[in-house]
């Protein structure tokens, strides 16, 4: 991991760091000084792994998708994060961060959410730990992910619809940071992806790394080797991908394919393909690639998928793309939808729209018949049913 490890100032090459307002300095500094010690503490590890096993339902299965494999002429395994409690990988991170928040004496939890999966995962662990929970969510996302809003409210969280910008994940994150600035002493901000100021990207990647840790063992059992030929994951902020690749980063024979949301097409002006289209800048406390205008105004991203609709990308992923360790593919709304319906039809699994972008990679690349592929199926499609139904109805017209 040495080569791809964050440095002491929170950088991966030129990307990362902690660009924060003065008022948050103590908070971020305390977190930076505490997180490694807490995460590596045996009593934390025990509590975290016990909850992952008994509450989340880990290890998540590594499933050989036979019909999908036949279709693409290679061996495709799905890492079934969709089977976790709450329906996605996000809970791996929220369990870890709430245990950390409790150890740091915090009493109030805030979070941002796009697709609502991180919001639900945060509201869930707050119910579990009896802590106050406020979730910021863009109004556009509140409307397109209604089921998750209802779940958060039933779990006792306050969902605050955000009406600035184009009312999606970036705007929700702005509001969460504003709240944090107003309540720095009692509030812990559970960031939902490998984004934000150092130490968040590294901390979230470590908490999600259980995905690749399990994959190594499961693949050894099934294939007689721990390493696949390819890893595939979608990238919104980058947390499921970070988890999927974490324990493989130093093995160059394991090729990494990351899928970002191309929306209506890379040249359409309506996409969220940050690595393809972005330039270096600072967003939400980290230096990374950002979709921005000539004069540095952040451009509003677009994707059918609320969880990929973000104008930045985690600093680790920007770095992996820059140094060529990862290949980044742009997958459009249409390609993702086709892939979602295909998986449903031939494997009986309805994926989240975000995960469907990872599935879209299978049709873009040529694989050899003996290639072993592990694809992170980051979440299930329940929250996206309204979108899927609408598309099916339109197709019938
Ligand atoms: C199911 C699912 N997959 C992927 C993502 C993208 O986030 P990340 O890139 O942090 O994994 C989200 C975000 O909400 C999600 O809900």
């Amino acid at each position: 991991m040495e080569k791809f490890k964050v440095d002491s100032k929170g950088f991966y090459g030129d990307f990362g760091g902690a660009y924060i307002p003065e008022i948050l300095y103590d908070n971020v500094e305390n977190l930076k000084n505490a997180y490694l010690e807490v995460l590596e503490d045996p009593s934390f590890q025990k509590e975290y792994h016990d909850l992952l096993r008994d509450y989340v339902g880990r290890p998540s299965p590594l499933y050989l998708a036979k019909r999908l494999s036949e279709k693409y002429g290679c061996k495709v395994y799905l890492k079934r994060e969709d089977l976790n409690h709450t329906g996605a990988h996000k809970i791996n991170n929220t369990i870890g961060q709430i245990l950390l928040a409790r150890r740091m004496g915090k009493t109030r939890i805030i979070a941002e959410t796009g697709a609502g999966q991180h919001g639900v995962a945060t509201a869930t662990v707050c119910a579990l730990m009896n802590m106050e929970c406020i979730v910021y969510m863009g109004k556009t996302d509140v409307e397109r992910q209604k089921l998750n809003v209802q779940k958060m409210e039933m779990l006792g969280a306050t969902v605050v619809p955000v009406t600035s910008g184009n009312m999606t994940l970036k705007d929700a994150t702005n509001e969460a940071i504003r709240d944090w600035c107003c309540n720095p002493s009692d509030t812990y901000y559970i960031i939902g992806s490998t984004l934000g100021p150092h130490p968040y990207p590294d901390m979230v990647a470590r908490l999600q790394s259980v995905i690749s840790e399990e994959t190594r063992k499961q693949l050894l059992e099934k294939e007689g080797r721990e390493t696949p030929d390819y890893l595939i994951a979608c990238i919104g902020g980058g947390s499921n991908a970070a988890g999927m690749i974490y324990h493989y980063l130093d093995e160059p024979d394991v090729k990494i394919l990351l899928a970002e949301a191309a929306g209506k097409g890379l040249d359409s002006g309506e996409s969220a393909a940050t690595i393809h289209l972005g330039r270096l800048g600072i967003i939400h406390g980290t230096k990374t690639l950002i979709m921005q205008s000539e004069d540095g105004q952040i451009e509003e991203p677009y994707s059918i998928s609320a969880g990929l609709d973000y104008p930045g990308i985690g600093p680790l992923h920007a770095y992996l793309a820059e140094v060529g360790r990862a290949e980044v593919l742009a997958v459009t709304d249409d390609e993702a939808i086709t892939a979602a319906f295909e998986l449903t039809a031939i494997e009986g699994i309805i994926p989240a729209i975000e995960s469907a972008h990872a599935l879209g990679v299978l049709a873009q690349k040529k694989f050899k018949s003996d290639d072993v592929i592990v694809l992170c199926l980051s979440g299930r499609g329940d929250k996206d049913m309204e979108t899927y139904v609408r598309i099916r109805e339109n197709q019938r017209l």
Side-chain angles (χ1 to χ4, degrees):
M1 266 297 293
E2 287 314 306
K3 193 167 161 209
F4 300 105
K5 223 171 144 186
V6 77
D7 72 17
S8 61
K9 295 210 167 86
F11 282 88
Y12 304 89
D14 282 343
F15 305 103
Y19 299 84
I20 45 167
E22 191 68 28
I23 184 105
L24 292 179
Y25 184 80
D26 283 350
N27 269 33
V28 172
E29 199 58 20
N30 290 343
L31 190 60
K32 194 177 89 185
N33 293 333
Y35 86 109
L36 282 181
E37 204 174 308
V38 173
L39 260 53
E40 282 160 15
D41 179 62
S43 71
F44 172 93
Q45 281 289 321
K46 177 161 178 12
E47 205 175 354
Y48 175 59
H49 284 288
D50 283 354
L51 282 169
L52 288 183
R53 185 191 61 223
D54 301 333
Y55 188 71
V56 176
R58 302 202 72 92
S60 65
L62 184 69
Y63 165 66
L64 174 59
K66 291 213 185 73
R67 293 185 65 199
L68 196 68
S69 300
E70 261 166 41
K71 162 107 209 229
Y72 290 103
C74 54
K75 236 177 177 179
V76 185
Y77 285 91
L78 302 177
K79 182 62 174 157
R80 299 290 308 273
E81 295 301 301
D82 60 316
L83 295 179
N84 292 340
H85 178 43
T86 72
H89 64 295
K90 296 285 181 183
I91 195 149
N92 305 328
N93 170 44
T94 59
I95 292 220
Q97 285 203 54
I98 203 154
L99 293 177
L100 174 64
R102 224 178 38 177
R103 281 169 194 241
M104 291 178 78
K106 304 289 182 177
T107 53
R108 181 175 175 270
I109 299 293
I110 59 170
E112 84 298 332
T113 197
Q117 287 301 133
H118 174 58
V120 170
T122 305
T124 299
V125 296
C126 285
L128 184 68
M129 302 287 167
N130 193 20
M131 282 166 100
E132 184 187 357
C133 179
I134 294 113
V135 180
Y136 292 93
M137 186 171 192
K139 193 161 159 281
T140 308
D141 295 338
V142 168
E143 281 155 17
R144 64 179 160 171
Q145 307 279 230
K146 228 182 274 160
L147 181 65
N148 276 344
V149 176
Q150 289 163 342
K151 284 187 187 173
M152 285 184 266
E153 288 176 344
M154 183 161 171
L155 286 158
T158 303
V159 180
V160 182
V162 175
T163 53
S164 53
N166 66 343
M167 302 186 269
T168 59
L169 185 54
K170 159 180 72 67
D171 314 294
T173 310
N174 287 342
E175 282 311 312
I177 291 175
R178 230 166 261 148
D179 178 318
W180 201 21
C181 290
C182 295
N183 305 284
S185 56
D186 64 339
T187 297
Y188 183 95
Y189 179 14
I190 300 191
I191 295 186
S193 193
T194 42
L195 294 168
H198 178 64
Y200 280 102
D202 182 50
M203 178 166 62
V204 176
R206 284 170 188 263
L207 292 172
Q208 291 290 0
S209 72
V210 64
I211 299 174
S212 45
E213 194 181 319
E214 288 173 4
T215 301
R216 292 193 78 103
K217 291 188 199 131
Q218 291 169 318
L219 209 57
L220 182 62
E221 267 173 34
K222 288 172 195 291
E223 289 289 325
R225 56 175 165 128
E226 291 182 27
T227 53
D229 298 293
Y230 290 90
L231 292 169
I232 304 180
C234 67
I235 43 172
S239 69
N240 84 90
M244 184 76 263
I245 65 182
Y246 194 87
H247 291 288
Y248 290 111
L249 279 168
D250 282 337
E251 282 160 303
D253 288 347
V254 180
K255 297 178 226 29
I256 297 171
L257 305 178
L258 303 177
E260 60 179 8
K264 295 184 179 165
L266 272 184
D267 303 324
S268 67
E270 288 184 80
S271 90
T274 314
I275 295 181
H276 278 89
L277 302 175
R279 284 185 295 116
L280 199 60
I282 291 169
I283 185 167
H284 299 139
T286 192
K287 193 196 274 186
T288 187
L289 296 173
I290 305 172
M291 290 174 41
Q292 51 186 304
S293 64
E294 285 290 304
D295 51 4
Q297 290 297 320
I298 292 175
E299 279 174 352
E300 298 295 354
Y302 162 81
S303 164
I304 193 168
S305 144
L308 306 184
D309 202 352
Y310 185 73
I313 182 67
L316 167 65
H317 308 69
Y319 179 63
L320 295 177
E322 186 188 71
V323 300
R325 177 67 187 92
E327 181 183 349
V328 182
L329 296 105
V331 176
T332 63
D333 289 357
D334 288 349
E335 289 169 319
I337 293 294
T338 302
F341 283 122
E342 178 180 273
L343 188 76
T344 306
I346 68 176
E347 292 288 348
I349 299 171
I350 303 179
I353 291 191
E354 292 77 17
S355 324
H357 285 71
L359 292 161
V361 168
L362 294 173
Q364 288 195 11
K365 294 289 284 185
K366 275 264 163 289
F367 299 102
K368 295 201 298 293
S369 59
D370 57 353
D371 278 341
V372 171
I373 290 153
V374 177
L375 185 148
C376 187
L377 198 70
S378 55
R380 67 178 85 131
D382 303 25
K383 69 183 179 55
D384 300 308
M385 282 313 293
E386 272 187 31
T387 307
Y388 288 149
V389 169
R390 187 170 30 82
I391 290 166
R392 273 174 69 87
E393 277 167 3
N394 287 345
Q395 282 170 352
R396 277 203 207 99
L397 291 178

